């Protein structure tokens, strides 16, 4: 066997371990029996540790060295694969295998405890696990190295390479300049639409059927994926041909399931449309959390909240919950689903105030990792910040600091990518309009394939073959520009509320 | 670390791989997206191969040698664990790792193809896979060694140690002496009960709810297990605290789901009640297929078909399908669910004719491995034997040779254990009656815990710490005795049909 072949064989073996771990993860989240969780966590720890050992093995090091020495002679996919694996190797090599294993076991348990703590609205129950997750993560940062004098930068860089607190502070600042005055004007205007029908009973089984119908419209391939139900929705690309999403059904608020499903669908379409040629390689994955989020938000916001999408789908939805929408004209429906008002739950937040939820989490994470905030004070800090930014305060930790899965799973530095993704999405949309000027007309006809084709052509198919800003530059012809999102929000809400 | 500790660490690592493989298997059977199956099969092959390598590694050999040299000084569980692992080591050591890997990949694919072939009623589609499975198995037999001059004995011994064609020919002969005259008498008697209501509509969702209720009654622990739906029902012990079963819902024949669920429940109770002290060890498993089947058949036949069970549960079932049972007295219901008539599908067969289905499969397997039967002739051979033994012939391969999953998964030599399990079960029941003379009264009250406790005390808790015949001897005070089953069938059917 040539070095390339041996290298590929090792990667293939590693991808088998990833598949197993992904399925175990999915299983734990979608209904694994409770008593089996602790053994399962141990098993996940063992396999992760084996996978980690392979990724930092001398065998791997040898292949990377040999192939790295003659990058020019490798075909482009192989060359990029070597580069991506080399980067991960350099990062991983810094963490001792035992500590990584402990970290994985801890995060697996922590996530299960979080789920129970959230159910029971008991922050104290989750507290020691969160403290442990943070100190373990700080420990990892020490191995990775502090970036630009700020340990939190090290975390940001893992999800969106190149991102720092300096950049985020600036971009979030620009957005704030648009959002804060808009939120203020809306509250002064005092012309909120009637939204009562949103909270009328919509049977769960019917929401399920409608969610499946919407997924089919948008191009989700059910032969290469499935939809399930969880407390906290997620999308999981096990392989390109097995991409699973979950949603949360609330009978008294269909928006949770419908928009949640559309959001996760955006993630899933990204994973399902990576070039099949990359299957089994580490480059067969989203290139960054921000780009990933740009796809989910593109679908959730620019399609799922588009008036033409609902001109096509409103009657269909009515069939699934006839009484609820009996006397609701489409215009009232559109104003209701696009209404903006400060709220407590990020996942239910409207698109205007959404970024404020992100900013709060961003500032808390910075504080936790710079030592300005202690975990035990989180409920207090959380409440204070919600009061400051949104003028409201959670009554309990279930609708406060316990609402998100991220910290329980060690995903610190991840939140900013949600807002960044929204900026990318707005920028993609602007570029797409040049190629597909009849975007709204397509939504009106329920024809989403050319939109999906554009995203596949410019974003999905590359996987990790391109870096985030390379994707953005090649697709839109310019670097990151917060203006597109700011303009979109300004125009939309000025019109909706007659500001 | 001591040798014991190192040995245990290796076993724990191996059990993590088993957990992953079991979950992947469960996932593939319960709804994994179709397009992902081929990659999944490769991943299963890779992890199985790694597990296999560990089981035959020099490291393992070293521990076994060291511990085997001082068995007397080991605690009993450790000593038995060493013995069980040593046996498996000796068996496995004979198979080259690459060939084992190929075999696992093939059986995984073969099982998926079978499922599709069964759906499409297309034996030709499955034919090359089955041929391949048989030649691969013959290849494995050559490595293991032919037992007592008959390659099929080698397979029998894997599922029920000590069993040979000589013994089976004899025991099946005894049973035949009872069954064949009974079947003949019943057909001559011409007093079959009305069974039409069995085939009336029973909504699937209601069957689901009822199945869950029955499982709870019988003591199935839903915090350590779950119930799902598949084409071919199965029970899978992932760990002692995660035991999953599946069932098949047929809206026009509730017996498929209800008795199928009770059957798989018997398997599950065995796995859930193995001593927790054994968790993670290779001895935490059923001791043989026959003993496993004795538990499922005990529940399916001696509880699920017991008239007192239905005196307690008939009204409950009526609630789930009121019209169907509106004018059905309990006695008619009991005669209907216990009616005996030759049929084509093993899983739907009544308990009297059931063993004939097994005998047919046993004879075909013997023929396939002794070279007397060719795979391409199976539909013909199958039909001929059904005509000879049961007087009926399948109209297509879906209700014929394609009906069982076993051969697609390489489970040759497994079928006889079903009939053997029935004999064990009848023998356990006779012994249990000495300790629990009010067995029928307990069924009448829906109190199954002392029955479960007896089985746990005498069978479940030991896992593989005892061999099948040791379990039987200790629990019943004698060796295998076909008389108990023969007597049970004779008494029951003589009474039911006034013979």
């Amino acid at each position: 066997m040539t070095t390339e072949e041996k290298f590929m064989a090792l990667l293939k073996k590693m991808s088998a371990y990833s598949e197993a771990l992904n399925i175990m993860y999915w299983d734990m989240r979608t209904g694994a029996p409770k008593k089996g969780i602790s053994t399962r966590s141990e098993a996940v720890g063992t396999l992760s540790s084996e996978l980690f050992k392979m990724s930092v093995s001398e065998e791997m090091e040898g292949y990377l060295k040999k192939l790295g020495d003659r990058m020019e002679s490798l075909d482009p996919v192989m060359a990029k694969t070597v580069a991506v694996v080399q980067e991960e190797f350099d990062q991983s090599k810094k963490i001792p295998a035992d500590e990584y294993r402990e970290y994985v076991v801890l995060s697996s348990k922590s996530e299960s405890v979080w789920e129970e703590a959230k159910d029971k609205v008991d922050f104290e129950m989750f507290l020691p696990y969160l403290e442990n997750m943070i100190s373990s993560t700080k420990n990892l940062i020490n191995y990775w190295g502090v970036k630009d004098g700020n340990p939190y930068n090290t975390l940001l860089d893992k999800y969106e390479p190149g991102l720092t607190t300096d950049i985020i502070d600036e971009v979030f600042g620009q957005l704030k300049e648009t959002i804060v005055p808009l939120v203020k004007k809306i509250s002064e205007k005092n012309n909120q639409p009637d939204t009562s029908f949103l909270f009328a009973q919509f049977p769960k089984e019917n929401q399920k059927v409608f969610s499946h119908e919407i997924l089919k419209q948008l191009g989700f391939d059910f032969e290469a994926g499935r939809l399930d139900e969880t407390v906290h929705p997620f999308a999981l690309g096990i392989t390109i041909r097995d991409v699973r999403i979950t949603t949360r059904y609330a009978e008294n608020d269909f928006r949770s399931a419908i928009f949640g499903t559309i959001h996760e669908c955006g993630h899933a379409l990204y994973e399902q449309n990576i070039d099949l040629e990359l299957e089994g390689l580490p480059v067969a994955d989203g290139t960054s959390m921000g780009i990933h989020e740009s796809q989910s938000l593109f679908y959730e916001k620019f399609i799922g909240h588009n008036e033409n999408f609902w001109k096509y789908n409103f009657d269909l939805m009515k069939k699934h919950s006839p009484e609820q929408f009996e006397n609701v004209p489409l215009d009232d429906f559109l104003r209701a689903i696009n209404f903006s008002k400060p709220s407590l739950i990020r996942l239910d937040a409207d698109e205007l105030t959404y970024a404020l939820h992100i900013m709060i989490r961003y500032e808390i994470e910075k504080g936790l990792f710079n030592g300005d905030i202690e975990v035990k004070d989180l409920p207090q800090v959380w409440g204070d910040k919600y009061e400051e930014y949104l003028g409201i305060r959670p009554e309990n930790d279930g609708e406060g600091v316990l609402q998100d899965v991220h910290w329980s799973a060690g995903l610190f530095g991840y939140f900013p990518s949600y807002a960044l993704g929204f900026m990318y999405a707005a920028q993609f949309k602007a570029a797409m309009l040049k190629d597909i000027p009849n975007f709204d007309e397509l939504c009106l006809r329920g024809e989403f394939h050319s939109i999906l084709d554009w995203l596949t052509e410019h974003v999905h198919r590359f996987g990790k073959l391109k870096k985030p800003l390379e994707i953005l530059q090649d697709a839109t012809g310019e670097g990151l520009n917060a203006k597109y999102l700011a303009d979109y929000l300004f125009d939309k809400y000025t019109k909706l509320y007659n500001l």
Side-chain angles (χ1 to χ4, degrees), chain A:
Chain A
M1 290 214 299
T2 65
T3 304
E4 277 97 324
E5 284 164 348
K6 287 186 210 158
F7 177 61
M8 293 301 270
L10 179 55
L11 292 181
K12 198 176 167 192
K13 184 171 161 187
M14 289 171 66
S15 91
Y17 281 68
S18 293
E19 270 198 60
L21 285 163
N22 277 330
I23 290 168
M24 288 165 100
Y25 175 86
W26 175 85
D27 183 70
M28 281 173 80
R29 297 263 73 77
T30 53
K34 196 176 154 185
K35 290 181 182 169
I37 294 294
S38 63
T39 329
R40 188 67 25 85
S41 300
E42 293 291 331
V44 165
T46 300
L47 288 182
S48 300
S49 161
E50 292 300 310
L51 179 56
F52 184 75
K53 278 181 204 161
M54 283 183 261
S55 75
V56 296
S57 61
E58 282 179 22
E59 184 187 355
M60 179 63 90
E61 193 167 16
Y63 299 147
L64 288 173
K65 177 96 187 62
K66 279 186 191 163
L67 296 172
D69 283 349
R70 49 183 181 81
M71 288 289 263
E72 318 75 40
S73 69
L74 304 176
D75 78 64
V77 168
M78 178 62 87
K80 189 57 84 169
T81 300
V82 170
V84 165
V85 174
Q86 181 73 57
E87 264 179 43
E88 282 164 14
F89 178 87
D90 293 340
Q91 284 295 304
S92 303
K93 198 66 185 172
K94 297 171 180 168
I95 314 288
D98 286 350
E99 296 198 27
Y100 181 70
R101 186 183 189 292
E102 273 170 35
Y103 172 79
V104 172
V105 172
L106 172 67
S107 62
S108 181
K109 275 190 187 154
S110 155
E111 209 178 324
S112 290
V113 170
W114 164 79
E115 198 165 318
E116 203 180 336
K118 191 189 171 191
D119 275 354
K120 295 183 176 167
V121 191
D122 183 353
F123 180 72
E124 292 303 313
M125 181 183 184
F126 179 47
L127 175 63
Y129 286 86
L130 182 53
E131 280 177 336
N132 220 333
M133 285 304 294
I134 288 169
S135 63
S136 299
T137 305
K138 281 181 179 168
N139 196 27
L140 297 183
I141 293 173
N142 284 335
Y143 287 116
W144 286 320
V146 170
K147 194 189 162 198
D148 299 338
N150 189 332
Y152 186 56
N153 277 341
T154 305
L155 299 174
L156 290 173
D157 202 57
K158 296 193 80 65
Y159 299 106
E160 207 64 18
L163 213 69
T164 62
T165 52
D166 289 346
I167 297 172
I168 295 185
D169 288 343
E170 191 192 323
V171 187
F172 279 7
Q174 290 177 335
L175 268 188
K176 232 184 258 180
E177 278 176 31
T178 301
I179 295 174
V180 173
L182 277 174
V183 171
K184 192 158 175 279
K185 273 191 205 166
I186 288 173
S187 80
E188 286 166 1
K189 187 84 180 187
N190 206 14
N191 62 344
Q192 285 292 11
D194 172 25
T195 58
S196 56
F197 63 88
L198 297 177
F199 311 104
Q201 175 80 4
F202 192 147
K204 182 174 156 176
E205 285 306 314
N206 301 16
Q207 288 191 43
K208 236 180 226 179
V209 175
F210 184 52
S211 296
H212 279 81
E213 288 168 350
I214 293 292
L215 286 174
K216 270 176 210 152
Q217 269 183 38
L218 297 179
F220 181 86
D221 182 352
F222 276 99
E223 290 198 344
R226 49 182 288 168
L227 171 65
D228 293 273
E229 183 184 356
T230 50
V231 174
H232 187 95
F234 64 83
L236 178 67
I238 296 172
T239 65
I240 297 172
R241 290 182 285 180
D242 186 354
V243 181
R244 303 182 183 194
I245 62 178
T246 69
T247 196
R248 180 168 61 102
Y249 300 99
E251 295 215 318
N252 57 355
D253 190 351
F254 69 90
R255 296 174 305 165
S256 161
I258 305 308
F259 295 121
T261 299
I262 296 173
H263 179 94
E264 301 307 333
C265 177
H267 284 304
L269 291 174
Y270 189 2
E271 303 264 346
Q272 283 186 336
N273 290 293
I274 293 170
D275 194 330
L276 257 182
E277 195 202 336
L278 308 182
E279 191 169 58
L281 298 178
V283 288
D285 200 357
T287 190
S288 74
M289 292 305 147
I291 293 290
H292 229 306
E293 199 60 21
S294 77
Q295 300 309 293
S296 55
L297 288 172
F298 186 95
Y299 275 89
E300 182 187 349
K301 304 304 181 192
F302 299 121
I303 293 182
H305 284 75
N306 182 302
E307 65 176 300
N308 290 293
F309 174 84
W310 284 108
K311 279 181 186 160
Y312 181 75
N313 279 303
F314 193 50
D315 284 344
L316 181 60
M317 186 163 74
K318 270 185 179 169
K319 279 186 200 154
H320 294 293
S321 192
E323 285 174 34
Q324 177 175 13
F325 302 112
E326 202 173 9
N327 298 308
V328 180
L330 179 62
D331 274 354
D332 290 7
F333 175 78
L334 290 168
R335 287 202 70 210
I337 62 165
N338 283 299
F339 103 119
S340 175
K341 195 183 170 185
S343 64
L344 291 168
I345 305 294
R346 176 182 62 87
L347 272 175
D348 301 337
D350 60 83
E351 64 185 6
L352 183 61
T353 57
Y354 187 79
L356 300 176
H357 292 260
I358 298 306
M359 290 173 198
I360 289 169
R361 285 154 179 78
Y362 165 68
E363 289 170 16
I364 288 176
E365 287 186 347
K366 262 203 306 190
L368 285 168
F369 283 91
N370 296 341
D372 298 335
I373 298 174
E374 283 188 59
V375 178
K376 68 173 172 50
D377 299 326
L378 272 186
Q380 178 71 33
V381 173
W382 186 281
D384 291 348
K385 286 197 179 284
Y386 264 79
E387 207 151 350
E388 183 190 342
Y389 280 73
L390 291 146
I392 49 179
R393 193 176 191 98
E395 285 181 15
N396 62 59
D397 295 329
E399 56 185 31
V401 65
L402 283 175
Q403 71 182 265
D404 295 306
V405 68
H406 303 65
W407 294 344
S408 78
L411 298 173
F412 304 104
Y414 185 117
F415 278 119
S417 59
Y418 288 118
L420 196 69
F422 204 3
M423 288 184 239
Y424 290 152
Q427 193 166 333
F428 287 138
K429 169 77 191 294
M432 187 189 286
L433 280 180
K434 290 176 197 155
D435 296 329
I436 309 180
N438 62 336
F439 179 95
D440 285 322
E441 201 186 309
L442 292 175
C443 290
L444 186 65
R445 293 206 304 263
E447 285 175 22
F448 302 104
H449 55 88
S450 37
I451 294 170
L452 176 55
D453 287 349
W454 193 97
L455 291 169
T456 296
E457 174 69 21
H458 294 279
V459 183
H460 302 167
R461 66 188 175 103
F462 299 111
K464 277 180 181 288
L465 293 182
K466 289 185 179 183
K467 294 273 182 192
L469 291 176
E470 205 179 339
I471 295 261
L472 196 70
Q473 180 72 41
D474 291 352
T476 71
E478 62 179 314
L480 178 59
N481 191 340
K483 178 184 172 295
Y484 295 102
L485 179 58
D487 287 353
Y488 163 77
L489 293 173
F490 183 84
D491 293 346
K492 175 167 178 175
Y493 286 90
T494 301
K495 187 182 159 207
L496 263 173
Y497 282 90
N498 296 311
L499 301 179

